[in-house]
Amino acid sequence: GYITMLGAKGLKSATEIAVLNANYIQSSLSDVMTVAFEGTCMHEALFDDRFLKDTGVDTLDFAKAMIDEGYHPMTMYFPLVVHGAMLIEPTESESKGELDRFILTMRSLAERAKAGEAESFKQAPVYAPMRRLDETKAARNPVLRWTPPVEE
């Protein structure tokens, strides 16, 4: 329905904006985060974890800290050929102001990691209803049915 609503001209325009947004993010963060591949990107900005080397912070920690900043974490560890991949895919509907706010947040997180604030990253997310989960346990023993808490 969305593609039909846009039509050929609208779809081309939306695609161009998505590509522009991804390149804007990549360019704006390339001095504090490590771009996985040099050159312009398409609709996704791909970073790797080399900028976190020797900080005590890993890709998962960085993603969890994004939750406390009000952002859904980027796609992590994909593509598999990029170690510690962080794939950011802004859509065509994001305004420049929102992109700038996101970029400032990402810059701040990268700078905090490099400044030695590893412990705060290991605790994240602090402000979310669900705290840090044991993701390996959850993947190996998924709970597929919600049970309401027993009231005393």
Side-chain angles (χ1 to χ4, degrees):
Y2 180 65
I3 291 172
T4 302
M5 179 192 74
L6 288 176
K9 280 173 79 173
L11 185 59
K12 183 176 188 292
S13 176
T15 303
E16 290 169 344
I17 293 168
V19 170
L20 180 65
N21 287 351
N23 278 283
Y24 181 62
I25 286 174
Q26 179 178 291
S27 175
S28 298
L29 294 174
S30 65
D31 64 322
V32 292
M33 294 175 66
T34 317
V35 177
F37 301 105
E38 291 302 318
T40 57
C41 60
M42 292 305 286
H43 65 288
E44 303 163 326
L46 179 59
F47 299 92
D48 63 37
D49 65 354
R50 287 178 289 169
F51 74 99
L52 295 171
K53 187 175 180 352
D54 300 324
T55 64
V57 176
D58 62 24
T59 302
L60 181 63
D61 299 330
F62 196 88
K64 296 294 185 181
M66 288 177 68
I67 296 170
D68 278 341
E69 299 296 331
Y71 290 100
H72 187 282
M74 66 281 176
T75 300
M76 300 177 301
Y77 307 120
F78 182 83
L80 299 176
V81 296
V82 175
H83 187 273
M86 300 179 193
L87 187 64
I88 300 170
E89 185 173 4
T91 65
E92 69 281 357
S93 62
E94 297 296 342
S95 69
K96 183 173 180 304
E98 186 56 33
L99 292 175
D100 288 338
R101 190 171 80 83
F102 175 77
I103 289 164
L104 284 173
T105 299
M106 295 296 281
R107 291 182 73 79
S108 173
L109 288 172
E111 290 164 0
R112 285 179 38 215
K114 292 175 185 179
E117 296 184 26
E119 191 54 37
S120 69
F121 283 86
K122 298 291 181 192
Q123 299 298 320
V126 175
Y127 304 113
M130 296 298 296
R131 300 293 307 272
R132 185 68 75 104
L133 304 174
D134 181 342
E135 295 180 9
T136 302
K137 180 181 174 187
R140 291 184 178 158
N141 187 22
V143 176
L144 303 176
R145 202 175 297 257
W146 180 74
T147 306
V150 179
E151 293 189 33
E152 295 178 18

